[in-house]
Amino acid sequence: MTVTEYGKQLSVTETSIPGLVVFDLPVHGDARGWFKENWQREKMTARGLPDFGPVQNNISFNDAVGTTRGIHAEPWDKWVSVATGRIFGAWVDLREGPSFGAVYTTELDPSKAIFVPRGVGNSYQTLEPDTAYTYLVNDHWSPDAAYSFLNLADETAAIEWPIPLTDVEISPKDLAHPRLADVTPIPPKKILVLGANGQLGRALRAEYGDQPHIEYADRATLDLASPDLATARRWRDYGTIINAAAYTKVDLAETPEGRADAWAANVTGVAALARIATENGITFVHVSSDYVFDGTLDRPYREDDQVCPLGVYGQTKTAGDAAVATVPRHYIVRTSWVIGEGNNFVRTMASLAERGIDPKVVDDQVGRLTFTDDIARGIHHLVDSGADYGVYNLTGGGEPQTWADIARTVFELTGHDPARVTGVTTDEYFAFATGPVAPRPRNSVLDLVRAENAGVAITAFREALAEYVNP
């Protein structure tokens, strides 16, 4: 019988399987017995253990030496440790990807534990009588979840069992599992893109493509106002929600009906998603706006500057951002002057130039254009790179310009005289408006240092504009 080693320091050992991590645990003992902290969130996350949010604690007891349990991969994370006795563990990566089929083995006693990430098959063979091991899991069993199984005797995995499989207790079911070549890999957690038919949603479709684990939804397929939203999906299967949906009719938001619609879409629905993301450990990506600021600063706005929205639209985006900020894993991507597919300022100016119309364009609002393709690429990078959670400004790069400057650039790029564009103030432009007019921030320039430091590629918007106008 192996004697548990006392007095170890809490330490971590990486394995050959990505995300599978072994912890040495301090066990304190004497003639009376021993004590250990089996799982301690603060200490262990500080050493790299994912904050995996366990929801259930299970115990497995094996009476006889040699009891062997099959290689099962579940769609949740597990923290496995021994309460008494000793086990041999074998883990096989059954996730889609380049590490599929990787194998790791080790023995566990009360002084060692292992974190088993979602989709990694795990199997245990008892090496001492009266062995019990415990495991924390961050989801409840469900018949609708995706599981995968591997035969204990698979030749490719070639696990060297301490006790030959011919001499141990195994269930017939475990013996009947498929070989590695016939295993159905566990897919990645799903990514849900909301607002999939909007300007940014279409850019996200182009960025992420039609992979099976990417799901796109619009208002018709997922109603954020539904009282059944919490059960509308098996949310534990999702790793990321990208919210590209929003009410963006800035002027109509100043009307009673528009105000109600803006608050419903930009605040109430977002808050409901924030609750779901928090409860299910989902990364929540939310797209925000320069309209959370009043535009009075004489420098670019940083992520930590005080928000001070001028109108209803800005107020709803600010409130939505506050809800998202409560999610432990969140990215708030703040952008401005968005250009994508469909009708937009650039296409309007190009059309006016072609039709011989000389426009009057606002010249006292300063900012940078942002193309939806760049936002989509930036979001993809932040999520995939595991950048620090929080707020990121993401716009086009280059020297800020007024709307009139940009209009002149469009005229120039389409072969027309930029002098045909006349600059006017915001007040002059809206002087004869017949409907509500929302206040606009005069300075919409956002500081991009944090995004650049996170490795987000910032495209000079004039270059992107030239490509957009003349693809």
Side-chain angles (χ1 to χ4, degrees):
M1 179 177 293
T2 301
V3 177
T4 299
E5 181 181 346
Y6 295 153
K8 289 181 180 179
Q9 295 295 313
L10 182 64
S11 60
V12 181
T13 302
E14 301 289 338
T15 74
S16 55
I17 296 178
L20 184 76
V21 183
V22 177
F23 274 70
D24 281 307
L25 305 178
V27 179
H28 311 285
D30 55 28
R32 298 168 300 172
W34 54 260
F35 167 83
K36 66 172 177 174
E37 291 182 339
N38 201 47
W39 173 71
Q40 213 276 12
R41 176 177 175 269
E42 184 177 4
K43 294 178 183 177
M44 292 173 178
T45 54
R47 286 165 172 79
L49 179 71
D51 197 2
F52 66 110
V55 298
Q56 187 169 319
N57 182 21
N58 301 327
I59 300 176
S60 181
F61 175 77
N62 294 328
D63 189 19
V65 171
T67 303
T68 304
R69 299 183 182 273
I71 303 173
H72 302 167
E74 299 99 356
W76 48 71
D77 304 318
K78 300 172 74 169
W79 172 259
V80 183
S81 61
V82 172
T84 181
R86 185 166 54 97
I87 58 176
F88 171 83
W91 296 269
V92 183
D93 197 338
L94 299 182
R95 299 170 294 189
E96 288 182 8
S99 60
F100 177 77
V103 178
Y104 178 78
T105 63
T106 193
E107 290 186 12
L108 299 181
D109 64 22
S111 69
K112 292 178 75 172
I114 191 164
F115 178 75
V116 185
R118 173 186 182 275
V120 173
N122 51 152
S123 176
Y124 307 97
Q125 186 175 84
T126 303
L127 301 181
E128 292 183 5
D130 299 329
T131 289
Y133 54 93
T134 73
Y135 49 102
L136 301 175
V137 295
N138 59 0
D139 196 6
H140 303 293
W141 182 87
S142 167
D144 301 323
Y147 304 89
S148 199
F149 307 95
L150 176 65
N151 195 290
L152 291 157
D154 179 73
E155 297 82 2
T156 305
I159 297 167
E160 296 183 4
W161 299 98
I163 305 171
L165 296 179
T166 54
D167 301 333
V168 301
E169 182 72 26
I170 309 174
S171 72
K173 185 176 181 180
D174 282 341
L175 284 173
H177 290 322
R179 265 31 185 197
L180 190 64
D182 299 317
V183 165
T184 301
I186 296 285
K189 280 200 168 187
K190 295 180 182 179
I191 296 174
L192 175 62
V193 177
L194 299 173
N197 293 327
Q199 282 192 103
L200 179 55
R202 290 194 290 271
L204 288 163
R205 281 182 185 269
E207 177 68 22
Y208 279 96
D210 295 323
Q211 301 176 68
H213 69 288
I214 310 295
E215 182 179 323
Y216 301 97
D218 57 17
R219 193 174 304 170
T221 55
L222 186 66
D223 182 6
L224 301 187
S226 170
D228 300 323
L229 183 64
T231 57
R233 299 285 192 279
R234 187 183 136 77
W235 292 109
R236 282 283 175 173
D237 290 340
Y238 292 80
T240 304
I241 295 173
I242 303 174
N243 182 31
Y247 182 98
T248 58
K249 299 174 182 176
V250 174
D251 293 322
L252 284 178
E254 300 296 320
T255 67
E257 181 180 354
R259 181 180 295 109
D261 290 343
W263 275 91
N266 295 348
V267 184
T268 307
V270 170
L273 284 173
R275 285 193 297 271
I276 287 170
T278 298
E279 292 168 359
N280 293 279
I282 297 171
T283 298
F284 191 9
V285 184
H286 177 69
V287 180
S288 185
S289 167
D290 59 303
Y291 272 68
V292 302
F293 299 119
D294 62 10
T296 59
L297 287 184
D298 58 1
R299 59 164 175 78
Y301 280 89
R302 297 188 296 265
E303 287 85 353
D304 58 355
D305 279 324
Q306 180 64 48
V307 293
C308 186
L310 295 173
V312 172
Y313 169 73
Q315 292 162 8
T316 64
K317 294 302 291 183
T318 302
D321 290 0
V324 175
T326 66
V327 179
R329 299 169 178 152
H330 73 269
Y331 296 105
I332 297 173
V333 177
R334 191 174 286 150
T335 190
S336 69
W337 296 15
V338 175
I339 303 295
E341 290 186 29
N343 295 327
N344 57 56
F345 177 81
V346 172
R347 286 185 171 157
T348 297
M349 291 301 109
S351 174
L352 294 177
E354 187 66 27
R355 289 183 288 142
I357 299 173
D358 301 341
K360 294 181 178 179
V361 184
V362 169
D363 67 358
D364 60 353
Q365 296 175 31
V366 180
R368 301 187 185 101
L369 290 185
T370 312
F371 289 86
T372 54
D373 290 350
D374 292 326
I375 301 174
R377 280 192 292 270
I379 288 172
H380 200 166
H381 173 81
L382 289 172
V383 173
D384 277 12
S385 68
D388 291 342
Y389 298 119
V391 183
Y392 288 84
N393 293 334
L394 177 52
T395 70
E399 194 66 27
Q401 293 186 333
T402 68
W403 286 113
D405 293 331
I406 293 168
R408 295 185 183 103
T409 302
V410 174
F411 270 63
E412 177 188 338
L413 291 171
T414 55
H416 299 277
D417 183 3
R420 289 169 51 193
V421 176
T422 300
V424 296
T425 67
T426 301
D427 292 341
E428 290 172 331
Y429 183 84
F430 288 110
F432 301 102
T434 57
V437 175
R440 267 80 167 165
R442 301 302 169 93
N443 175 18
S444 291
V445 184
L446 303 181
D447 185 288
L448 303 175
V449 171
R450 188 177 192 216
E452 290 174 322
N453 289 342
V456 175
I458 303 297
T459 304
F461 75 82
R462 183 181 171 93
E463 295 175 10
L465 178 60
E467 185 175 343
Y468 185 84
V469 171
N470 298 302

